[in-house]
Amino acid sequence: AELSQLKASTPAPAPNPVNSQEVDMLRKKVEDLEKDRQKVLEEKEILETRVEQRHLQGDYDPTRTKVVHLGVNPTMLARQQRQAELERLREECEKLRQRLRAAEEGGSADVTASILH
Amino acid sequence: MAGVLQAAKNSITLKGSAEIVAEFFSYGINSILYQRGIYPPETFSRVQKYGLTLLVTTDNELKTYLNNVLMQLKDWLLDKTVEKLVVVVTSIDTQEVLERWQFDIECDKTMAEDSKPREKPLKEINDEIKAVIRQITASVTFLPLLEENCSFDLLIYTDKDLEVPETWEESGPHFIAKSEEVRLRSFSTSIHKVDAMVCYKNAD
């Protein structure tokens, strides 16, 4: 009699079904998060590689860094010189044209002929 | 005593480190200008440094320009506000950037002018610098020939808020459009670390 009473009132000593569910859920969640984390890490790595290449090429964060140089520098001087050369040549051409007009008027008619050779 | 001298020679102060770095750039930039034919070879003369025979310019205007930049660089090395020094090589005719020598500079922010000196043998630093310079000179093996007349410019990357003297202006970074990049060696004084790399226009 007592035994059947005991048997009737004792639940089976199996893994707690509520805890089991939670553990499964948590285990799955961890798996998902780790997959997700892996994916985000890979995406981050790809971006980092991209940024790294840009870095080698001289890229920078303009909110924290700026690039400066001496206003008067060899490249700027070279550019000026090139421009001055154009000016100088234009002036020289003008002077030569002036002298040519003089020569063309002053000279006799065969001067114009000699230009053609 | 050698011991004492040795100690002195191995103690690097912030000021001393800035000197070493600025001196490296002085020889390194001269090397690049000579190597890449930006100035005619006959305007350079030989000196001994770092156990190497190096070429430095005799052109007074150029020397003055380099001095002006490097003196300012030294200040910024002391401030620890400088991030990079870049040598930009541009074709005079087409205004195109053909080469870009970039030197990243890391400063140990904990170091101040009156901090206790770091210990690093000067010989070791010089050997590291020597290796960097040898790599610069050896780069001709992969760099395309610079056929055109070129000019150069020195850019410095600094903290955005740094107040710069009037003679200094903001500039673009002058990236190279289609480039190949090669990481070179680095050296460290234990206070400043300098990474070298070069970027050049992809020879079609």
Side-chain angles (χ1 to χ4, degrees):
Chain A
E2 216 189 318
L3 191 59
S4 51
Q5 248 190 316
L6 262 179
K7 269 200 183 156
S9 62
T10 311
N16 189 321
V18 176
N19 279 2
S20 242
Q21 266 182 8
E22 195 177 0
V23 168
D24 281 342
M25 240 177 56
L26 288 174
R27 279 213 184 102
K28 181 163 197 336
K29 198 158 192 195
V30 167
E31 215 180 287
D32 286 342
L33 281 174
E34 290 200 321
K35 271 205 203 122
D36 188 44
R37 180 179 190 271
Q38 198 52 38
K39 181 156 155 291
V40 171
L41 263 172
E42 275 172 18
E43 291 172 353
K44 178 170 169 254
E45 264 181 50
I46 286 176
L47 286 172
E48 274 178 339
T49 312
R50 183 99 165 266
V51 171
E52 169 62 14
Q53 193 203 13
R54 285 278 176 261
H55 164 238
L56 276 175
Q57 293 173 339
D59 199 11
Y60 59 101
D61 181 357
T63 64
R64 291 202 307 209
T65 303
K66 65 183 177 187
V67 184
V68 297
H69 68 161
L70 273 181
V72 176
N73 61 71
T75 290
M76 169 264 201
L77 291 173
R79 193 177 309 176
Q80 268 192 354
Q81 250 190 10
R82 195 167 180 275
Q83 193 59 32
E85 180 72 359
L86 252 117
E87 296 297 335
R88 188 191 72 72
L89 282 172
R90 281 200 190 108
E91 204 178 292
E92 178 152 9
C93 272
E94 186 47 52
K95 265 199 191 139
L96 287 170
R97 267 184 228 114
Q98 201 173 253
R99 292 177 56 187
L100 192 60
R101 284 194 292 263
E104 283 192 357
E105 274 216 349
S108 54
D110 30 300
V111 166
T112 22
S114 67
I115 295 163
L116 303 170
H117 310 293
Chain B
M1 271 165 51
V4 169
L5 288 172
Q6 184 96 327
K9 260 195 163 188
N10 293 340
S11 296
I12 318 289
T13 59
L14 177 59
K15 207 160 186 295
S17 178
E19 292 273 359
I20 293 172
V21 172
E23 193 178 52
F24 156 73
F25 278 122
S26 173
Y27 289 101
I29 295 172
N30 266 285
S31 234
I32 295 174
L33 297 181
Y34 174 77
Q35 294 293 339
R36 310 311 286 137
I38 298 170
Y39 286 80
E42 59 267 20
T43 63
F44 288 84
S45 70
R46 290 179 167 62
V47 296
Q48 289 294 319
K49 184 75 185 176
Y50 308 123
L52 297 168
T53 300
L54 298 178
L55 286 115
V56 292
T57 187
T58 55
D59 178 329
N60 281 324
E61 266 193 48
L62 180 53
K63 285 204 282 194
T64 307
Y65 170 72
L66 290 176
N67 264 4
N68 289 344
V69 175
L70 295 178
M71 283 200 346
Q72 185 58 66
L73 178 74
K74 240 188 286 191
D75 273 357
W76 288 334
L77 285 166
L78 289 175
D79 285 351
K80 293 162 284 168
T81 50
V82 56
E83 303 176 19
K84 299 186 212 280
L85 180 141
V86 181
V87 185
V88 180
V89 178
T90 313
S91 157
I92 293 184
D93 284 327
T94 66
Q95 297 292 324
E96 224 187 331
V97 181
L98 301 177
E99 263 177 39
R100 206 176 182 282
W101 296 79
Q102 184 166 298
F103 299 89
D104 290 356
I105 303 169
E106 277 174 54
C107 310
D108 180 347
K109 303 277 179 180
T110 66
M111 194 71 178
E113 291 217 42
D114 52 358
S115 298
K116 174 159 125 51
R118 295 287 162 79
E119 294 299 319
K120 177 160 183 178
L122 195 56
K123 181 179 186 316
E124 196 177 316
I125 299 177
N126 282 349
D127 283 343
E128 289 175 23
I129 291 182
K130 175 179 182 180
V132 175
I133 294 194
R134 291 189 90 165
Q135 233 190 351
I136 291 179
T137 60
S139 64
V140 289
T141 54
F142 61 84
L143 290 174
L145 197 59
L146 288 177
E147 310 230 18
E148 323 169 37
N149 267 351
C150 290
S151 63
F152 83 104
D153 192 9
L154 297 175
L155 310 181
I156 295 188
Y157 285 49
T158 68
D159 288 351
K160 189 170 176 62
D161 308 315
L162 180 65
E163 268 201 52
V164 300
E166 256 191 41
T167 43
W168 288 79
E169 304 172 358
E170 256 201 84
S171 161
H174 292 300
F175 299 141
I176 293 182
K178 284 185 302 156
S179 59
E180 297 280 344
E181 305 94 24
V182 175
R183 236 188 207 287
L184 302 175
R185 294 189 120 110
S186 62
F187 74 89
S188 167
T189 64
S190 73
I191 297 175
H192 292 104
K193 178 167 188 279
V194 177
D195 281 286
M197 59 207 82
V198 65
C199 211
Y200 55 95
K201 180 170 168 221
N202 213 331
D204 297 353

